[in-house]
Amino acid sequence: MAAVLDKNIVKQALRELIQEEPELFKKMLLETAMEEVKTSQDADFEALIRKDFNRYEETFKALA
């Protein structure tokens, strides 16, 4: 119950922020979205590196 109440308080605070400071809210929203995209891209890149490393592991060992 407390979590639902807390979410309602946060929702109300965000509504007030949107009304009072729309540019600040837009900036915060864009920053959050960009962080999410970067995190997603980083995860994709790391998965690709891991896949390639596993694929060529024997070659890397032979070169070492």
Side-chain angles (χ1 to χ4, degrees), residues 31-57:
E31 287 174 1
T32 303
M34 293 304 292
E35 287 173 9
E36 183 63 31
V37 167
K38 185 178 183 316
T39 302
S40 176
Q41 288 174 340
D42 288 348
D44 291 346
F45 182 68
E46 288 177 18
L48 178 63
I49 295 297
R50 235 179 285 115
K51 178 183 170 188
D52 285 347
F53 184 80
N54 290 338
R55 181 176 178 190
Y56 298 109
E57 183 175 5

Side-chain angles (χ1 to χ4, degrees), residues 3-21 25:
V4 173
L5 180 60
D6 291 344
K7 286 183 181 179
N8 287 334
I9 291 170
V10 171
K11 283 181 185 178
Q12 183 60 35
L14 285 172
R15 285 186 182 114
E16 290 174 14
L17 178 63
I18 292 168
Q19 291 173 351
E20 294 171 9
E21 300 284 342
F25 181 77

